[in-house]
Amino acid sequence: MDELKTTDEGSGPENGAGAGEALGEGVSPRDGEALKPSSPHSAPNDAETPAKEDSSEAVILAAGLTKRYGRETVVDNLDLRIERGDIFGFLGPNGAGKTTTLLMFLGLTLPSAGSVRVLGEDPVKEPLKVKSQVGYLAENMGFYGDLTAYENLSYVCELNKMRDYGEKVEEVLGLVGLSEVAGKLVSEFSRGMRQRLGLAEVLVKDPKVVFLDEPTLGLDPDGINTMLELITRLPGERGLTVILSSHLLYLVSKVATRVGILKKGKLLAQGSIAELAGKTGLEADLEAIYTYYFRGEAA
Amino acid sequence: MLAVIKKELADHFGSTRFLIIMSLIFMVSFLLTHLAGRAIGDVLTEGGSELLEGRTFLLLFTAPAAFFSLSVFLCLFGPLVSLVLGFDSINRERNQGTLSKILSQPIHRDEVILGKYLAGLITIAIMLASLFLLITGFGLLGVGVVPSADELVRLALFGLLSVVYMGFWLGLAILLSICFRSVATSAMAAAALWIFIVFFLPILIQAGASAIAPFNDPQRPQAEELVSFTRAHKILTLASPAGLFTESSSMLLDPTHRGSDEALQIALMSRLDRYLLSRFQGGISIGQSLIIVMPDLLILACFSLLAFILSYVLFIKQEIRSV
Ligand SMILES: Nc1ncnc2c1ncn2[C@@H]1O[C@H](COP(=O)(O)OP(=O)(O)OP(=O)(O)O)[C@@H](O)[C@H]1O
Ligand SMILES: [Mg+2]
């Protein structure tokens, strides 16, 4: 009963070390050394190195995190630190590597090099410890259409070995506004209702961190507002840390306390919007900052 | 893992296609037992009871009254139940995006496939147990044959053998559902494998055995030639799950270990012939049958294990994304 210990898709550690050197940094995939922040290299790269060494309050601490599919480097030497209570907006165009990064945080995909700690645990070595504390709303979350919303949630609870989850299930259904249709088959749900149910499934296990991959996908304006409102309330009411991936800058700028900008697998910048504004000499406008980084890279 | 098993069991027993294939199996089984029962009844009224003694009840399973006996039917068509239960177990969840959801919960990947496998096995066991019970009841009430304790033990062992055999097919089906992302492809592959293993492999084995141990003159085979042919055939059969199942089931269900069609022929012999035959016809005890069957049973179990290990290795390496 042991989750995978070796790397998949043929990108073994030896593979990883070699390519790490090519980047000017010998990042070993496993040992603690990999946790040391590495220096930024590509310009214009304001990517903040994790400021403090103590990882007590860091919910996510990634160092040199790299993912390659064959020759293609999809996530490139990512150093990232996300603090408790943050709402971290993960930005980047299609194919930037946002989902891949989240999957590595969860241990669903193995890094080719580098390491990450989620709540102090290594998702490669202790995937279950990570997964029991993390709620993950996938890009295109699936449900059992032949079960009701209530039953779908119950199954998630059982997989989390929760007991007497009836009340909890009803609570989260209320939270996302699905109490009324709890007994309805999910195959009869609309796109937005499914998205809400997805959020309910994420919250029902009482996670410490949630990863939301495009949480507003398919929601109507009202749904988007409810979702954003809900997300803003999570850190305060439930002590949650939220990592949110999205293309929709105006939405992210409404809720995120900090953002990270990812392009072709490289983290161009991370920090609060004010910090990034200071660094770039722009106004505190995410849209402007985003374009700055993308134009900068192109130049 | 218990959560997975529970969910899968509910799915199986609620799924239309399982209920359809199960009712098909039940219907044909009853037809076969009914025909076998009639034939047995005829023999009994003709006074052949002392000859059938000790195996009247099991004849319900082995008498080829129609096209084939019930045990042969299970060998040929039982696999379909397993395939129907398993051919889309992983890829359906992958395609509908629930696989990445399950795997982002605190559960190991192997627990998911093991849970699905065990749930399928339990379903198969429940199906076979109820089938055998119904046939026993039919034998008691319809034909009036009372199974002896010996026969009941043999039947239970045959049930175990059937579960192991169908477990192999279940493992194969789950393996296919991991290999192929498309449900339609894995269904086609399952059908192809079924036809190959159940219908072609025996022919290949026959041909292989003749190639290894050829007869000089097929019309008049020499004794030595026959022995080496039989040996070659037996060894090659080790590679055929259906062959292993057939051999073991006849060993378990036919205490005298003669072709079951002979049983009816014997019943038609003259009294003297019967008397002579019964004098020299020592039955094989359950213990002896079991010893003979055990290696085959283990090899069958190994086949299932192999399918499972392959599934495990492939599944662990796969990348799970939603859609
Ligand atoms: N299994 C795979 N094999 C090879 N390449 C892959 C695989 N999965 C993803 N990729 C590649 O990895 C890159 C990053 O994909 P990822 O899904 O992480 O992007 P993303 O930032 O989430 O994009 P989006 O905004 O469209 O969701 C893409 O170029 C994609 O083609
Ligand atoms: Mg994505």
Side-chain angles (χ1 to χ4, degrees):
Chain A
M1 296 281 153
D2 222 326
E3 187 98 331
L4 55 173
K5 296 262 173 183
T6 52
T7 9
D8 50 348
E9 290 102 39
S11 43
E14 60 287 343
N15 213 343
E21 269 156 32
L23 289 166
E25 270 163 350
V27 182
S28 63
R30 290 281 137 71
D31 50 19
E33 197 197 354
L35 274 175
K36 268 195 272 170
S38 46
S39 55
H41 38 89
S42 59
N45 198 333
D46 293 348
E48 280 203 5
T49 50
K52 296 162 273 179
E53 275 299 323
D54 88 319
S55 59
S56 55
E57 279 297 294
V59 167
I60 305 276
L61 196 57
L65 198 63
T66 301
K67 178 70 188 180
R68 275 181 289 271
Y69 288 112
R71 293 249 174 95
E72 196 188 354
T73 304
V74 167
V75 175
D76 194 355
N77 209 11
L78 189 83
D79 296 315
L80 187 66
R81 184 189 174 96
I82 298 173
E83 309 278 333
R84 227 190 104 140
D86 267 351
I87 298 181
F88 188 87
F90 214 18
L91 305 173
N94 290 129
K98 305 181 294 291
T99 302
T100 311
T101 308
L102 293 182
L103 289 176
M104 284 194 283
F105 289 174
L106 262 176
L108 283 181
T109 295
L110 295 178
S112 310
S115 69
V116 61
R117 294 286 178 279
V118 178
L119 297 157
E121 304 285 352
D122 182 351
V124 175
K125 294 194 180 111
E126 299 281 359
L128 294 207
K129 278 193 189 155
V130 172
K131 288 172 185 173
S132 61
Q133 304 181 72
V134 176
Y136 172 51
L137 179 69
E139 277 175 291
N140 224 329
M141 175 92 112
F143 302 93
Y144 298 101
D146 53 343
L147 299 184
T148 64
Y150 190 94
E151 288 166 339
N152 266 284
L153 277 165
S154 304
Y155 187 42
V156 171
C157 292
E158 288 192 10
L159 288 175
N160 280 281
K161 303 186 175 63
M162 293 163 62
R163 280 196 208 137
D164 306 323
Y165 43 75
E167 262 177 43
K168 186 81 207 166
V169 169
E170 269 157 31
E171 181 208 323
V172 291
L173 278 170
L175 201 65
V176 298
L178 288 179
S179 297
E180 249 120 83
V181 289
K184 200 170 169 173
L185 289 184
V186 173
S187 55
E188 296 163 9
F189 271 28
S190 74
R191 181 77 188 75
M193 286 160 84
R194 292 164 71 95
Q195 200 68 18
R196 287 165 193 245
L197 182 57
L199 188 66
E201 283 191 353
V202 164
L203 295 177
V204 79
K205 64 201 256 191
D206 260 333
K208 295 208 175 82
V209 197
V210 293
F211 300 163
L212 309 176
D213 207 345
E214 304 284 353
T216 52
L217 206 72
L219 291 180
D220 56 19
D222 196 38
I224 292 180
N225 284 334
T226 326
M227 179 69 86
L228 291 184
E229 202 182 298
L230 219 85
I231 292 173
T232 347
R233 272 165 37 201
L234 292 178
E237 286 176 16
R238 291 167 178 254
L240 275 173
T241 308
V242 180
I243 299 170
L244 176 74
S245 117
S246 183
H247 315 276
L248 304 173
L249 299 178
Y250 73 99
L251 295 182
V252 175
S253 63
K254 269 190 199 167
V255 294
T257 55
R258 294 175 68 236
V259 297
I261 298 176
L262 200 65
K263 180 180 182 187
K264 289 190 184 149
K266 290 201 175 70
L267 190 66
L268 300 181
Q270 62 172 311
S272 68
I273 296 179
E275 277 168 23
L276 294 184
K279 243 173 236 164
T280 55
L282 295 166
E283 282 176 45
D285 172 32
L286 190 55
E287 227 59 59
I289 294 168
Y290 190 78
T291 14
Y292 168 86
Y293 277 105
F294 276 83
R295 215 175 315 123
E297 178 78 348
Chain B
M1 189 165 71
L2 257 137
V4 178
I5 296 180
K6 245 171 69 184
K7 160 115 186 18
E8 291 294 315
L9 279 177
D11 281 357
H12 288 333
F13 283 102
S15 93
T16 321
R17 55 167 199 240
F18 171 67
L19 295 178
I20 289 175
I21 185 102
M22 193 169 91
S23 27
L24 268 174
I25 295 270
F26 270 55
M27 261 167 6
V28 176
S29 302
F30 280 127
L31 186 70
L32 292 176
T33 355
H34 173 69
L35 293 174
R38 269 228 315 247
I40 295 169
D42 290 349
V43 171
L44 287 180
T45 46
E46 276 172 32
S49 55
E50 84 271 18
L51 219 147
L52 294 178
E53 200 174 347
R55 52 178 174 150
T56 324
F57 170 68
L58 288 182
L59 265 180
L60 284 175
F61 292 84
T62 55
F67 321 98
F68 31 62
S69 67
L70 187 62
S71 66
V72 173
F73 172 67
L74 282 182
C75 172
L76 297 181
F77 295 95
L80 285 183
V81 179
S82 306
L83 293 177
V84 160
L85 286 177
F87 78 95
D88 67 344
S89 53
I90 297 289
N91 49 13
R92 179 172 33 93
E93 293 226 27
R94 183 198 301 279
N95 295 337
Q96 75 190 12
T98 43
L99 190 59
S100 70
K101 181 172 82 185
I102 301 181
L103 291 178
S104 64
Q105 311 305 330
I107 181 166
H108 286 298
R109 290 188 183 199
D110 44 359
E111 286 181 82
V112 174
I113 34 177
L114 195 58
K116 282 177 181 273
Y117 185 74
L118 289 179
L121 218 54
I122 293 171
T123 309
I124 289 168
I126 290 175
M127 189 197 90
L128 286 176
S130 43
L131 180 66
F132 287 4
L133 276 178
L134 284 170
I135 290 177
T136 307
F138 168 78
L140 275 174
L141 302 175
V143 191
V145 285
V146 183
S148 65
D150 176 90
E151 283 179 307
L152 284 181
V153 174
R154 284 174 186 279
L155 184 60
L157 287 173
F158 175 64
L160 180 73
L161 174 73
S162 309
V163 171
V164 173
Y165 175 61
M166 286 170 73
F168 156 72
W169 286 96
L170 184 68
L172 200 64
I174 293 179
L175 179 62
L176 293 175
S177 82
I178 293 173
C179 289
F180 300 108
R181 305 252 157 153
S182 141
V183 173
T185 313
S186 67
M188 283 314 295
L193 271 177
W194 174 62
I195 290 173
F196 177 76
I197 293 179
V198 165
F199 298 103
F200 275 105
L201 207 53
I203 300 173
L204 285 183
I205 285 172
Q206 191 78 21
S210 329
I212 294 171
F215 296 108
N216 267 331
D217 178 7
Q219 300 301 318
R220 277 177 292 132
Q222 304 295 304
E224 282 157 41
E225 287 177 342
L226 259 177
V227 168
S228 54
F229 174 82
T230 313
R231 192 176 294 148
H233 193 272
K234 224 180 159 67
I235 289 170
L236 289 179
T237 302
L238 295 182
S240 154
L244 288 172
F245 177 77
T246 313
E247 288 203 345
S248 311
S249 62
S250 71
M251 185 61 72
L252 285 174
L253 293 180
D254 247 351
T256 52
H257 195 46
R258 323 184 103 257
S260 44
D261 39 354
E262 277 173 65
L264 284 177
Q265 283 170 16
I266 292 163
L268 303 173
M269 285 181 194
S270 73
R271 278 194 167 260
L272 181 65
D273 284 346
R274 280 188 215 158
Y275 174 72
L276 288 175
L277 198 71
S278 58
R279 296 267 335 234
F280 297 108
Q281 187 178 58
I284 300 173
S285 75
I286 293 181
Q288 284 168 316
S289 305
L290 203 58
I291 288 169
I292 298 172
V293 161
M294 204 37 101
D296 290 3
L297 200 69
L298 287 180
I299 293 173
L300 261 182
C302 281
F303 272 119
S304 320
L305 200 67
L306 199 70
F308 186 77
I309 289 174
L310 264 175
S311 309
Y312 174 79
V313 170
L314 282 175
F315 191 49
I316 287 292
K317 286 195 162 182
Q318 271 178 357
E319 166 143 331
I320 309 299
R321 280 183 185 239
S322 60
V323 190

